[in-house]
Amino acid sequence: MFCKCFCGSNSTIFELPTLDKPCSNCTKQFCLENVQDGLCDGIADETCPSNDFKTACFARDSYKDEVIVRTFLIAVVGLLVYAGFKHFYDRWKPEREQYTQVAH
């Protein structure tokens, strides 16, 4: 699980420790403790209200999603290869039929 900290127009992503409920750790205080380089200057602590500060907890894509995307890409590449070969086959087929008719 990951925590994305938004400070105004800036954002940073942190990996959350593996716990029972990792999203419960994705808080304003967690972000303030981990953000560096003055990214969130002006937002002092958890009690300071700010409309420019937000957090979001999310997980990476699952293996299921990865399999779906890869299958789609393989299907698209397969169709493109088929379309390319079909063009050459359609040109070659009439020439071949002409030679077979002469042979009979």
Side-chain angles (χ1 to χ4, degrees):
M1 299 295 288
F2 295 89
C3 183
K4 187 169 187 176
C5 303
F6 300 93
C7 297
S9 62
N10 301 320
S11 65
T12 307
I13 297 175
F14 298 103
E15 188 169 1
L16 291 169
T18 307
L19 301 169
D20 290 338
K21 296 181 181 180
C23 283
S24 63
N25 290 334
C26 186
T27 62
K28 184 175 182 178
Q29 189 61 41
F30 174 82
C31 291
L32 291 173
E33 290 170 358
N34 290 291
V35 169
Q36 299 173 0
D37 302 328
L39 184 69
C40 292
D41 286 346
I43 301 174
D45 61 14
E46 192 174 85
T47 60
C48 176
S50 173
N51 294 332
D52 293 338
F53 190 89
K54 297 177 185 130
T55 62
C57 183
F58 66 95
R60 279 192 176 160
D61 294 336
S62 67
Y63 290 113
K64 177 185 170 187
D65 294 340
E66 189 175 328
V67 167
I68 291 170
V69 169
R70 288 182 188 259
T71 302
F72 173 76
L73 291 175
I74 290 169
V76 168
V77 169
L79 288 171
L80 288 172
V81 168
Y82 171 74
F85 281 121
K86 185 175 183 320
H87 174 72
F88 292 109
Y89 177 76
D90 289 343
R91 278 190 183 172
W92 173 74
K93 187 178 175 184
E95 291 176 16
R96 186 163 189 267
E97 286 176 354
Q98 182 182 15
Y99 289 124
T100 357
Q101 290 173 357
V102 173
H104 285 254

